[in-house]
Amino acid sequence: QVNLDAMESLRIPAMVTKLDWYDFLPQNFEKPPQTKKFDTVIACDCAYRHKDIVALASTMTTLLRDKQSQIHIFGPVNRSGIETLVAHFQNDDD
């Protein structure tokens, strides 16, 4: 919250929200996912269950405004989940 307060004082718009990754899978679009789009998505320590990687990646890409938008992922290198997530994004670029 301290970081958000500092950014607000500089008039830099930021939003932090809780997301259910499975709401963003294409087969779950009966109810539209959050429609707000972002230039940057920041995720920290979120890729730890391999069964959730596809849902996590779908959420991240759905939230991006356009092809110039970026995802920044941070996490411990000793977890293979982050490697699986990065590989998922690399395969989507092919």
Side-chain angles (χ1 to χ4, degrees):
Q1 185 62 45
V2 172
N3 289 338
L4 287 175
D5 292 342
M7 290 173 54
E8 185 176 322
S9 69
L10 297 172
R11 302 199 192 293
I12 299 171
M15 182 178 140
V16 174
T17 188
K18 179 181 176 182
L19 300 171
D20 183 336
W21 301 336
Y22 286 89
D23 288 345
F24 291 83
L25 287 171
Q27 65 266 26
N28 294 337
F29 282 178
E30 295 168 7
K31 59 177 184 170
Q34 179 176 333
T35 56
K36 190 160 179 67
K37 301 289 184 173
F38 301 93
D39 295 320
T40 303
V41 172
I42 301 171
C44 182
D45 200 16
C46 60
Y48 45 90
R49 290 183 358 182
H50 289 270
K51 69 178 190 165
D52 295 331
I53 295 296
V54 171
L56 174 59
S58 180
T59 300
M60 291 177 167
T61 54
T62 299
L63 292 173
L64 295 177
R65 185 179 316 280
D66 56 36
K67 292 287 186 186
Q68 301 302 315
S69 301
Q70 296 184 351
I71 299 170
H72 299 274
I73 306 166
F74 303 90
V77 294
N78 63 345
R79 288 203 183 129
S80 62
I82 198 161
E83 292 173 4
T84 305
L85 179 61
V86 170
H88 181 84
F89 285 123
Q90 288 172 337
N91 291 335
D92 279 355
D93 287 342
D94 295 342

Coordinates of all heavy atoms in Angstrom, one line a residue:
Q1 N 0.8 -1.2 0.0 CA 0.0 0.0 0.0 C 0.9 1.3 0.0 O 0.5 2.3 -0.6 CB -0.9 0.0 1.2 CG -1.9 1.1 1.2 CD -2.9 1.1 0.0 OE1 -3.4 0.1 -0.4 NE2 -3.0 2.3 -0.6
V2 N 2.0 1.2 0.7 CA 2.9 2.4 0.7 C 3.3 2.7 -0.7 O 3.3 3.9 -1.1 CB 4.1 2.1 1.6 CG1 5.2 3.2 1.5 CG2 3.7 1.9 3.0
N3 N 3.7 1.7 -1.6 CA 4.0 2.0 -2.9 C 2.9 2.7 -3.7 O 3.1 3.6 -4.5 CB 4.5 0.8 -3.6 CG 5.9 0.3 -3.1 OD1 6.6 1.1 -2.5 ND2 6.1 -1.0 -3.3
L4 N 1.7 2.2 -3.5 CA 0.5 2.7 -4.2 C 0.3 4.2 -3.8 O 0.0 5.0 -4.6 CB -0.7 1.9 -4.0 CG -0.8 0.6 -4.7 CD1 -2.0 -0.2 -4.3 CD2 -0.7 0.8 -6.2
D5 N 0.4 4.4 -2.5 CA 0.2 5.8 -2.0 C 1.3 6.7 -2.6 O 1.0 7.9 -3.0 CB 0.3 5.8 -0.5 CG -0.9 5.1 0.2 OD1 -1.9 4.9 -0.5 OD2 -0.7 4.8 1.4
A6 N 2.5 6.3 -2.7 CA 3.6 7.1 -3.3 C 3.3 7.4 -4.8 O 3.5 8.5 -5.2 CB 4.9 6.4 -3.1
M7 N 2.8 6.4 -5.5 CA 2.5 6.6 -6.9 C 1.4 7.5 -7.1 O 1.3 8.3 -8.0 CB 2.2 5.2 -7.6 CG 3.5 4.4 -7.7 SD 3.2 2.7 -8.3 CE 2.3 3.0 -9.8
E8 N 0.4 7.4 -6.2 CA -0.8 8.3 -6.3 C -0.4 9.7 -6.1 O -0.8 10.6 -6.7 CB -1.8 7.9 -5.3 CG -3.1 8.7 -5.4 CD -4.2 8.2 -4.4 OE1 -4.3 7.0 -4.2 OE2 -4.9 9.1 -3.9
S9 N 0.6 10.0 -5.2 CA 1.0 11.3 -4.9 C 1.7 11.9 -6.1 O 1.8 13.1 -6.3 CB 1.9 11.4 -3.7 OG 3.1 10.7 -3.9
L10 N 2.3 11.0 -7.0 CA 3.0 11.5 -8.2 C 2.0 11.5 -9.4 O 2.4 11.8 -10.5 CB 4.1 10.5 -8.5 CG 5.3 10.5 -7.5 CD1 6.3 9.4 -7.8 CD2 5.9 11.9 -7.4
R11 N 0.8 11.1 -9.1 CA -0.3 11.1 -10.1 C 0.0 10.0 -11.2 O -0.3 10.2 -12.4 CB -0.6 12.4 -10.7 CG -0.9 13.5 -9.8 CD -1.6 14.7 -10.4 NE -1.8 15.8 -9.6 CZ -2.6 15.9 -8.6 NH1 -3.2 14.9 -8.1 NH2 -2.7 17.1 -7.9
I12 N 0.6 8.9 -10.8 CA 0.8 7.8 -11.6 C -0.3 6.8 -11.4 O -0.4 6.3 -10.2 CB 2.2 7.1 -11.4 CG1 3.3 8.1 -11.6 CG2 2.4 5.9 -12.2 CD1 4.7 7.6 -11.2
P13 N -1.2 6.5 -12.4 CA -2.3 5.6 -12.1 C -1.8 4.1 -11.9 O -1.0 3.7 -12.7 CB -3.1 5.7 -13.4 CG -2.2 6.2 -14.4 CD -1.1 7.0 -13.7
A14 N -2.3 3.5 -10.9 CA -2.0 2.1 -10.7 C -3.2 1.4 -10.1 O -4.0 2.1 -9.4 CB -0.8 2.0 -9.7
M15 N -3.3 0.1 -10.3 CA -4.4 -0.6 -9.8 C -3.9 -2.0 -9.3 O -3.2 -2.6 -9.9 CB -5.5 -0.8 -10.8 CG -6.7 -1.6 -10.4 SD -7.9 -1.7 -11.8 CE -8.5 -3.3 -11.5
V16 N -4.3 -2.4 -8.1 CA -4.0 -3.7 -7.5 C -5.4 -4.4 -7.3 O -6.3 -3.8 -6.7 CB -3.2 -3.6 -6.2 CG1 -3.0 -5.0 -5.6 CG2 -1.9 -2.9 -6.5
T17 N -5.5 -5.6 -7.8 CA -6.8 -6.3 -7.6 C -6.6 -7.8 -7.5 O -5.6 -8.3 -8.0 CB -7.7 -6.0 -8.8 OG1 -9.0 -6.5 -8.5 CG2 -7.2 -6.5 -10.1
K18 N -7.5 -8.4 -6.8 CA -7.5 -9.9 -6.7 C -8.2 -10.4 -8.0 O -9.2 -9.9 -8.4 CB -8.2 -10.3 -5.5 CG -8.2 -11.8 -5.3 CD -9.0 -12.2 -4.0 CE -9.1 -13.7 -3.9 NZ -9.9 -14.0 -2.7
L19 N -7.6 -11.4 -8.6 CA -8.1 -12.0 -9.8 C -8.3 -13.5 -9.7 O -7.4 -14.2 -9.0 CB -7.2 -11.8 -11.0 CG -6.9 -10.3 -11.4 CD1 -5.7 -10.3 -12.4 CD2 -8.1 -9.7 -11.9
D20 N -9.3 -14.1 -10.2 CA -9.5 -15.5 -10.3 C -9.1 -15.9 -11.7 O -9.7 -15.5 -12.7 CB -10.9 -15.9 -10.1 CG -11.1 -17.4 -10.1 OD1 -10.3 -18.1 -10.8 OD2 -12.1 -17.9 -9.6
W21 N -7.9 -16.5 -11.9 CA -7.3 -16.8 -13.2 C -8.3 -17.6 -14.1 O -8.3 -17.4 -15.3 CB -6.0 -17.5 -13.0 CG -5.0 -16.8 -12.2 CD1 -4.9 -15.4 -12.0 CD2 -3.9 -17.4 -11.5 NE1 -3.8 -15.1 -11.3 CE2 -3.2 -16.3 -10.9 CE3 -3.5 -18.7 -11.3 CZ2 -2.1 -16.5 -10.2 CZ3 -2.3 -18.9 -10.6 CH2 -1.6 -17.8 -10.0
Y22 N -9.1 -18.4 -13.5 CA -10.0 -19.3 -14.3 C -11.1 -18.5 -14.9 O -11.7 -19.0 -15.9 CB -10.4 -20.5 -13.5 CG -9.3 -21.5 -13.3 CD1 -8.4 -21.4 -12.2 CD2 -9.1 -22.5 -14.2 CE1 -7.4 -22.3 -12.1 CE2 -8.0 -23.4 -14.1 CZ -7.2 -23.2 -13.0 OH -6.1 -24.1 -12.9
D23 N -11.4 -17.3 -14.5 CA -12.4 -16.4 -15.1 C -11.9 -16.0 -16.5 O -12.7 -15.5 -17.3 CB -12.7 -15.2 -14.3 CG -13.5 -15.5 -13.0 OD1 -14.1 -16.7 -13.0 OD2 -13.6 -14.7 -12.1
F24 N -10.6 -16.0 -16.7 CA -10.0 -15.5 -18.0 C -9.7 -16.5 -19.0 O -9.2 -16.2 -20.1 CB -8.8 -14.7 -17.6 CG -9.0 -13.4 -16.9 CD1 -9.2 -13.5 -15.5 CD2 -9.2 -12.2 -17.5 CE1 -9.5 -12.3 -14.8 CE2 -9.4 -11.1 -16.8 CZ -9.6 -11.1 -15.5
L25 N -10.1 -17.8 -18.8 CA -9.9 -18.8 -19.8 C -11.0 -18.6 -20.9 O -12.2 -18.4 -20.5 CB -10.0 -20.2 -19.2 CG -8.8 -20.6 -18.3 CD1 -9.1 -21.9 -17.6 CD2 -7.6 -20.8 -19.2
P26 N -10.7 -18.8 -22.1 CA -11.7 -18.5 -23.2 C -13.0 -19.3 -23.0 O -14.1 -18.8 -23.3 CB -11.0 -19.0 -24.5 CG -9.5 -18.7 -24.1 CD -9.4 -19.1 -22.7
Q27 N -12.9 -20.5 -22.5 CA -14.2 -21.3 -22.4 C -15.0 -20.8 -21.2 O -16.2 -21.2 -21.1 CB -13.9 -22.8 -22.2 CG -13.1 -23.1 -20.9 CD -11.6 -23.2 -21.1 OE1 -11.0 -22.6 -22.0 NE2 -10.9 -24.0 -20.2
N28 N -14.5 -19.9 -20.4 CA -15.3 -19.3 -19.3 C -15.8 -17.9 -19.6 O -16.2 -17.2 -18.7 CB -14.4 -19.2 -18.0 CG -14.1 -20.6 -17.5 OD1 -14.8 -21.6 -17.8 ND2 -13.0 -20.7 -16.8
F29 N -15.8 -17.5 -20.9 CA -16.2 -16.2 -21.3 C -17.7 -16.0 -21.3 O -18.2 -15.0 -21.9 CB -15.5 -15.7 -22.6 CG -14.1 -15.3 -22.4 CD1 -13.4 -15.0 -23.5 CD2 -13.5 -15.3 -21.2 CE1 -12.0 -14.6 -23.4 CE2 -12.1 -15.0 -21.1 CZ -11.4 -14.6 -22.2
E30 N -18.5 -16.9 -20.8 CA -19.9 -16.7 -20.7 C -20.2 -15.4 -19.9 O -21.0 -14.6 -20.3 CB -20.6 -17.9 -20.0 CG -20.5 -19.2 -20.7 CD -20.9 -20.3 -19.8 OE1 -21.4 -20.1 -18.7 OE2 -20.7 -21.5 -20.2
K31 N -19.5 -15.2 -18.9 CA -19.5 -13.9 -18.2 C -18.2 -13.2 -18.6 O -17.1 -13.8 -18.5 CB -19.6 -14.1 -16.6 CG -18.5 -14.9 -16.0 CD -18.6 -14.9 -14.5 CE -17.4 -15.6 -14.0 NZ -17.2 -15.6 -12.6
P32 N -18.4 -12.0 -19.1 CA -17.1 -11.4 -19.6 C -16.1 -11.1 -18.5 O -16.5 -10.7 -17.4 CB -17.7 -10.0 -20.2 CG -19.1 -9.9 -19.7 CD -19.5 -11.2 -19.2
P33 N -14.9 -11.4 -18.8 CA -13.9 -11.0 -17.7 C -13.7 -9.5 -17.6 O -14.3 -8.8 -18.4 CB -12.6 -11.7 -18.3 CG -12.8 -11.7 -19.8 CD -14.3 -11.9 -20.0
Q34 N -13.0 -9.2 -16.6 CA -12.7 -7.7 -16.4 C -12.3 -7.1 -17.7 O -11.5 -7.6 -18.5 CB -11.5 -7.6 -15.4 CG -11.1 -6.2 -15.1 CD -10.1 -6.2 -14.1 OE1 -9.9 -7.1 -13.3 NE2 -9.3 -5.1 -14.1
T35 N -13.0 -6.0 -18.1 CA -12.8 -5.3 -19.4 C -11.7 -4.3 -19.3 O -11.2 -3.8 -20.4 CB -14.1 -4.7 -19.9 OG1 -14.5 -3.7 -18.9 CG2 -15.1 -5.7 -20.1
K36 N -11.2 -3.9 -18.2 CA -10.1 -2.9 -18.1 C -8.9 -3.5 -18.7 O -8.5 -4.6 -18.3 CB -10.0 -2.4 -16.7 CG -9.0 -1.2 -16.6 CD -9.3 -0.5 -15.3 CE -8.4 0.6 -15.1 NZ -8.6 1.7 -16.0
K37 N -8.1 -2.8 -19.5 CA -6.9 -3.2 -20.1 C -5.7 -2.4 -19.6 O -5.9 -1.2 -19.2 CB -7.0 -3.1 -21.6 CG -8.1 -3.9 -22.2 CD -7.8 -5.4 -22.1 CE -8.9 -6.2 -22.9 NZ -8.6 -7.6 -22.9
F38 N -4.5 -2.9 -19.6 CA -3.4 -2.3 -19.0 C -2.2 -2.3 -19.9 O -2.0 -3.2 -20.7 CB -3.0 -3.0 -17.6 CG -4.1 -3.0 -16.7 CD1 -5.0 -4.0 -16.6 CD2 -4.3 -1.9 -15.8 CE1 -6.1 -4.0 -15.7 CE2 -5.4 -1.9 -14.9 CZ -6.3 -3.0 -14.8
D39 N -1.3 -1.3 -19.7 CA -0.1 -1.3 -20.5 C 1.0 -2.2 -19.9 O 1.8 -2.7 -20.5 CB 0.5 0.2 -20.4 CG -0.4 1.1 -21.2 OD1 -0.9 0.8 -22.2 OD2 -0.5 2.3 -20.7
T40 N 0.9 -2.4 -18.6 CA 1.8 -3.3 -17.8 C 1.1 -4.1 -16.8 O 0.2 -3.7 -16.1 CB 2.8 -2.4 -17.1 OG1 3.5 -1.5 -18.0 CG2 3.9 -3.3 -16.4
V41 N 1.4 -5.4 -16.8 CA 0.9 -6.3 -15.8 C 2.2 -6.8 -15.0 O 3.1 -7.3 -15.6 CB 0.2 -7.6 -16.4 CG1 -0.1 -8.6 -15.4 CG2 -1.1 -7.1 -17.2
I42 N 2.1 -6.7 -13.7 CA 3.2 -7.1 -12.9 C 2.7 -8.2 -12.0 O 1.7 -8.1 -11.3 CB 3.7 -6.0 -12.0 CG1 4.2 -4.8 -12.8 CG2 4.8 -6.4 -11.0 CD1 4.5 -3.5 -12.1
A43 N 3.4 -9.4 -12.0 CA 3.0 -10.5 -11.2 C 4.2 -11.0 -10.4 O 5.4 -11.1 -10.9 CB 2.5 -11.6 -12.1
C44 N 4.0 -11.3 -9.2 CA 5.1 -11.7 -8.3 C 4.8 -13.0 -7.6 O 3.7 -13.1 -7.0 CB 5.4 -10.6 -7.3 SG 6.8 -11.0 -6.2
D45 N 5.6 -14.0 -7.7 CA 5.5 -15.2 -6.9 C 4.1 -15.8 -7.2 O 3.4 -16.2 -6.2 CB 5.7 -15.0 -5.4 CG 6.0 -16.3 -4.7 OD1 6.4 -17.3 -5.4 OD2 6.0 -16.3 -3.5
C46 N 3.7 -16.0 -8.4 CA 2.4 -16.4 -8.8 C 2.4 -17.8 -9.5 O 1.4 -18.4 -9.7 CB 1.7 -15.4 -9.6 SG 2.5 -15.0 -11.1
A47 N 3.5 -18.2 -10.1 CA 3.6 -19.4 -10.9 C 4.2 -20.5 -10.1 O 5.4 -20.8 -10.2 CB 4.4 -19.1 -12.2
Y48 N 3.4 -21.2 -9.3 CA 3.9 -22.3 -8.5 C 3.1 -23.6 -8.6 O 3.6 -24.6 -8.3 CB 4.0 -21.9 -7.0 CG 2.8 -21.2 -6.5 CD1 1.8 -21.9 -5.9 CD2 2.7 -19.8 -6.5 CE1 0.7 -21.2 -5.4 CE2 1.6 -19.1 -6.0 CZ 0.6 -19.9 -5.5 OH -0.5 -19.2 -5.0
R49 N 2.0 -23.5 -9.2 CA 1.2 -24.7 -9.5 C 1.1 -24.9 -11.0 O 0.4 -24.2 -11.7 CB -0.2 -24.7 -8.8 CG -0.1 -24.7 -7.3 CD -1.3 -24.7 -6.6 NE -2.6 -24.6 -7.3 CZ -3.8 -24.6 -6.8 NH1 -3.9 -24.6 -5.5 NH2 -4.8 -24.5 -7.5
H50 N 1.7 -26.0 -11.5 CA 1.7 -26.2 -12.9 C 0.4 -26.3 -13.5 O 0.1 -25.9 -14.7 CB 2.6 -27.5 -13.2 CG 4.0 -27.3 -13.0 ND1 4.9 -26.9 -14.0 CD2 4.8 -27.4 -11.9 CE1 6.1 -26.8 -13.5 NE2 6.1 -27.1 -12.2
K51 N -0.6 -26.9 -12.8 CA -2.0 -27.0 -13.3 C -2.6 -25.6 -13.6 O -3.6 -25.6 -14.3 CB -2.8 -27.9 -12.4 CG -3.2 -27.3 -11.1 CD -4.1 -28.2 -10.3 CE -4.6 -27.4 -9.1 NZ -5.7 -28.1 -8.5
D52 N -2.1 -24.6 -13.0 CA -2.7 -23.2 -13.1 C -2.0 -22.4 -14.2 O -2.4 -21.2 -14.4 CB -2.7 -22.5 -11.8 CG -3.5 -23.2 -10.7 OD1 -4.5 -23.8 -11.1 OD2 -3.2 -23.1 -9.5
I53 N -0.9 -22.9 -14.8 CA -0.1 -22.0 -15.7 C -0.9 -21.5 -16.9 O -0.8 -20.3 -17.2 CB 1.1 -22.8 -16.2 CG1 2.0 -23.1 -15.0 CG2 1.9 -22.1 -17.3 CD1 2.6 -21.9 -14.3
V54 N -1.7 -22.4 -17.5 CA -2.5 -21.9 -18.7 C -3.5 -20.8 -18.3 O -3.6 -19.8 -19.0 CB -3.2 -23.1 -19.3 CG1 -4.2 -22.6 -20.4 CG2 -2.2 -24.1 -19.9
A55 N -4.2 -21.0 -17.1 CA -5.1 -20.0 -16.6 C -4.4 -18.7 -16.3 O -4.9 -17.6 -16.6 CB -5.9 -20.5 -15.4
L56 N -3.2 -18.8 -15.7 CA -2.5 -17.6 -15.3 C -2.0 -16.9 -16.6 O -2.2 -15.6 -16.7 CB -1.2 -18.0 -14.5 CG -0.2 -16.9 -14.2 CD1 -0.9 -15.8 -13.4 CD2 0.9 -17.5 -13.4
A57 N -1.5 -17.6 -17.6 CA -1.0 -16.9 -18.8 C -2.2 -16.3 -19.5 O -2.1 -15.2 -20.1 CB -0.4 -18.0 -19.7
S58 N -3.4 -17.0 -19.6 CA -4.5 -16.4 -20.2 C -5.0 -15.1 -19.5 O -5.3 -14.1 -20.2 CB -5.7 -17.4 -20.2 OG -6.8 -16.9 -20.8
T59 N -5.0 -15.1 -18.2 CA -5.3 -13.9 -17.5 C -4.4 -12.7 -17.8 O -4.8 -11.6 -18.1 CB -5.3 -14.2 -16.0 OG1 -6.2 -15.2 -15.7 CG2 -5.6 -12.9 -15.2
M60 N -3.1 -13.0 -17.8 CA -2.1 -12.0 -18.1 C -2.3 -11.4 -19.5 O -2.3 -10.2 -19.6 CB -0.7 -12.5 -17.9 CG -0.3 -12.8 -16.5 SD 1.3 -13.5 -16.4 CE 1.6 -13.4 -14.6
T61 N -2.4 -12.2 -20.5 CA -2.6 -11.7 -21.8 C -3.9 -11.0 -22.1 O -3.9 -10.1 -22.8 CB -2.3 -12.9 -22.9 OG1 -3.2 -13.9 -22.6 CG2 -0.9 -13.4 -22.8
T62 N -5.0 -11.5 -21.4 CA -6.3 -10.9 -21.6 C -6.2 -9.4 -21.0 O -6.9 -8.5 -21.5 CB -7.4 -11.7 -20.9 OG1 -7.4 -13.0 -21.5 CG2 -8.7 -11.0 -21.0
L63 N -5.5 -9.2 -20.0 CA -5.4 -7.9 -19.3 C -4.6 -6.9 -20.1 O -4.6 -5.7 -19.8 CB -4.9 -8.0 -17.9 CG -5.8 -8.8 -16.9 CD1 -5.1 -9.0 -15.6 CD2 -7.1 -8.0 -16.7
L64 N -3.8 -7.3 -21.1 CA -2.9 -6.4 -21.8 C -3.7 -5.5 -22.8 O -4.6 -6.0 -23.5 CB -1.8 -7.2 -22.6 CG -0.8 -7.9 -21.7 CD1 0.2 -8.7 -22.6 CD2 -0.1 -6.9 -20.8
R65 N -3.3 -4.3 -22.9 CA -4.0 -3.3 -23.8 C -3.8 -3.7 -25.3 O -4.7 -3.7 -26.1 CB -3.6 -1.9 -23.5 CG -4.3 -0.8 -24.3 CD -3.9 0.6 -24.0 NE -3.7 0.8 -22.5 CZ -4.7 1.1 -21.7 NH1 -6.0 1.1 -22.1 NH2 -4.5 1.3 -20.4
D66 N -2.5 -3.9 -25.6 CA -2.2 -4.2 -27.0 C -0.8 -4.9 -27.1 O -0.3 -5.3 -26.1 CB -2.1 -2.9 -27.8 CG -1.2 -1.8 -27.2 OD1 -0.1 -2.2 -26.7 OD2 -1.5 -0.6 -27.3
K67 N -0.3 -5.1 -28.3 CA 1.0 -5.8 -28.5 C 2.2 -5.1 -27.9 O 3.2 -5.7 -27.7 CB 1.2 -6.0 -30.0 CG 0.2 -7.0 -30.6 CD 0.5 -8.4 -30.2 CE -0.4 -9.4 -30.9 NZ -0.3 -10.7 -30.4
Q68 N 2.1 -3.8 -27.6 CA 3.1 -3.0 -27.0 C 3.2 -3.2 -25.5 O 4.1 -2.8 -24.8 CB 3.1 -1.5 -27.4 CG 3.1 -1.3 -28.9 CD 4.4 -1.8 -29.5 OE1 5.4 -1.6 -29.0 NE2 4.2 -2.5 -30.6
S69 N 2.1 -3.7 -24.9 CA 2.0 -3.8 -23.5 C 2.9 -5.0 -23.0 O 3.3 -5.8 -23.8 CB 0.5 -4.2 -23.1 OG -0.4 -3.2 -23.5
Q70 N 3.3 -4.9 -21.8 CA 4.3 -5.9 -21.3 C 3.8 -6.5 -20.0 O 3.1 -6.0 -19.2 CB 5.6 -5.1 -21.0 CG 6.2 -4.6 -22.3 CD 7.6 -4.0 -22.0 OE1 8.0 -3.8 -20.8 NE2 8.3 -3.6 -23.0
I71 N 4.3 -7.8 -19.8 CA 4.1 -8.5 -18.6 C 5.5 -8.6 -17.9 O 6.5 -9.0 -18.5 CB 3.6 -9.9 -18.9 CG1 2.2 -9.8 -19.6 CG2 3.5 -10.7 -17.6 CD1 1.8 -11.2 -20.1
H72 N 5.5 -8.3 -16.6 CA 6.8 -8.4 -15.8 C 6.5 -9.5 -14.7 O 5.6 -9.3 -13.9 CB 7.2 -7.1 -15.2 CG 7.4 -6.0 -16.2 ND1 8.7 -5.9 -16.8 CD2 6.6 -5.1 -16.8 CE1 8.6 -4.9 -17.7 NE2 7.4 -4.4 -17.7
I73 N 7.2 -10.5 -14.8 CA 7.0 -11.6 -13.8 C 8.2 -11.8 -12.9 O 9.4 -11.8 -13.4 CB 6.9 -13.0 -14.6 CG1 5.7 -12.9 -15.6 CG2 6.6 -14.1 -13.6 CD1 5.7 -14.0 -16.6
F74 N 8.0 -11.8 -11.6 CA 9.0 -12.0 -10.6 C 8.8 -13.2 -9.8 O 7.6 -13.4 -9.4 CB 9.1 -10.7 -9.7 CG 9.3 -9.5 -10.5 CD1 8.3 -8.7 -10.9 CD2 10.6 -9.0 -10.8 CE1 8.4 -7.5 -11.7 CE2 10.8 -7.9 -11.5 CZ 9.7 -7.1 -11.9
G75 N 9.8 -13.9 -9.4 CA 9.6 -15.0 -8.5 C 10.9 -15.8 -8.3 O 11.9 -15.5 -9.0
P76 N 10.9 -16.7 -7.4 CA 12.1 -17.4 -7.0 C 12.5 -18.3 -8.2 O 11.6 -19.0 -8.8 CB 11.7 -18.3 -5.8 CG 10.4 -17.8 -5.4 CD 9.8 -17.0 -6.5
V77 N 13.8 -18.4 -8.5 CA 14.3 -19.2 -9.6 C 14.2 -20.7 -9.3 O 14.4 -21.5 -10.2 CB 15.7 -18.8 -10.1 CG1 15.7 -17.4 -10.6 CG2 16.7 -18.9 -8.9
N78 N 14.1 -21.0 -8.0 CA 14.1 -22.4 -7.6 C 12.7 -23.1 -7.8 O 12.5 -24.2 -7.4 CB 14.6 -22.6 -6.2 CG 13.7 -21.9 -5.2 OD1 12.9 -21.1 -5.5 ND2 13.9 -22.3 -3.9
R79 N 11.8 -22.4 -8.4 CA 10.4 -23.0 -8.6 C 10.3 -23.2 -10.1 O 10.5 -22.3 -10.9 CB 9.3 -22.0 -8.2 CG 9.2 -22.0 -6.7 CD 7.8 -21.5 -6.3 NE 7.8 -21.4 -4.9 CZ 7.3 -20.3 -4.2 NH1 6.9 -19.3 -4.9 NH2 7.3 -20.3 -2.9
S80 N 10.0 -24.4 -10.5 CA 9.9 -24.7 -11.9 C 8.6 -24.1 -12.6 O 8.5 -24.0 -13.8 CB 9.9 -26.2 -12.2 OG 8.8 -26.8 -11.5
G81 N 7.7 -23.6 -11.8 CA 6.4 -23.0 -12.3 C 6.7 -21.8 -13.1 O 6.1 -21.6 -14.2
I82 N 7.7 -21.0 -12.7 CA 8.0 -19.8 -13.4 C 8.6 -20.1 -14.8 O 8.4 -19.5 -15.8 CB 8.8 -18.8 -12.6 CG1 8.8 -17.4 -13.2 CG2 10.3 -19.2 -12.5 CD1 9.1 -16.3 -12.2
E83 N 9.4 -21.2 -14.8 CA 10.0 -21.6 -16.0 C 9.0 -22.1 -17.0 O 9.0 -21.8 -18.2 CB 11.1 -22.7 -15.8 CG 12.3 -22.2 -15.0 CD 13.2 -23.3 -14.7 OE1 13.0 -24.5 -15.0 OE2 14.2 -23.1 -14.0
T84 N 8.0 -22.8 -16.5 CA 6.9 -23.3 -17.3 C 6.1 -22.1 -17.8 O 5.7 -22.2 -19.0 CB 6.0 -24.3 -16.5 OG1 6.8 -25.3 -15.9 CG2 4.9 -24.8 -17.3
L85 N 5.8 -21.1 -17.0 CA 5.1 -20.0 -17.5 C 5.8 -19.2 -18.6 O 5.2 -18.9 -19.6 CB 4.8 -19.0 -16.3 CG 4.0 -17.7 -16.6 CD1 2.7 -18.0 -17.2 CD2 3.9 -16.9 -15.3
V86 N 7.1 -19.0 -18.4 CA 7.9 -18.3 -19.4 C 7.9 -19.1 -20.7 O 7.7 -18.6 -21.8 CB 9.3 -18.0 -18.9 CG1 10.2 -17.6 -20.0 CG2 9.3 -17.0 -17.8
A87 N 8.1 -20.4 -20.6 CA 8.0 -21.3 -21.8 C 6.7 -21.2 -22.5 O 6.6 -21.2 -23.7 CB 8.4 -22.7 -21.4
H88 N 5.6 -21.1 -21.7 CA 4.3 -21.0 -22.3 C 4.2 -19.7 -23.1 O 3.7 -19.8 -24.3 CB 3.2 -21.0 -21.2 CG 1.8 -20.8 -21.7 ND1 1.1 -21.9 -22.1 CD2 1.0 -19.8 -21.9 CE1 -0.1 -21.5 -22.5 NE2 -0.2 -20.2 -22.4
F89 N 4.7 -18.6 -22.6 CA 4.7 -17.3 -23.4 C 5.6 -17.4 -24.6 O 5.2 -16.9 -25.7 CB 5.1 -16.2 -22.5 CG 4.0 -15.7 -21.5 CD1 4.3 -15.7 -20.2 CD2 2.7 -15.4 -22.0 CE1 3.3 -15.3 -19.3 CE2 1.8 -14.9 -21.1 CZ 2.0 -14.9 -19.7
Q90 N 6.7 -18.0 -24.5 CA 7.6 -18.2 -25.6 C 7.0 -19.0 -26.7 O 7.1 -18.7 -27.9 CB 9.0 -18.8 -25.2 CG 9.8 -17.8 -24.3 CD 11.0 -18.4 -23.7 OE1 11.1 -19.6 -23.5 NE2 12.0 -17.6 -23.4
N91 N 6.3 -20.1 -26.3 CA 5.6 -20.9 -27.3 C 4.5 -20.2 -28.0 O 4.2 -20.4 -29.2 CB 5.1 -22.2 -26.7 CG 6.2 -23.2 -26.3 OD1 7.3 -23.1 -26.8 ND2 6.0 -24.0 -25.3
D92 N 3.8 -19.3 -27.3 CA 2.7 -18.5 -27.9 C 3.3 -17.5 -29.0 O 2.6 -17.2 -29.9 CB 1.9 -17.8 -26.9 CG 0.9 -18.7 -26.2 OD1 0.7 -19.8 -26.6 OD2 0.3 -18.2 -25.3
D93 N 4.5 -17.1 -28.8 CA 5.1 -16.2 -29.7 C 5.5 -16.8 -31.0 O 5.8 -16.1 -32.0 CB 6.4 -15.5 -29.1 CG 6.0 -14.5 -28.0 OD1 4.8 -14.1 -28.0 OD2 6.8 -14.1 -27.2
D94 N 5.7 -18.1 -31.0 CA 6.1 -18.8 -32.3 C 5.0 -18.8 -33.3 O 3.9 -18.7 -33.2 CB 6.5 -20.3 -31.9 CG 7.7 -20.3 -31.0 OD1 8.4 -19.3 -30.9 OD2 8.0 -21.4 -30.4

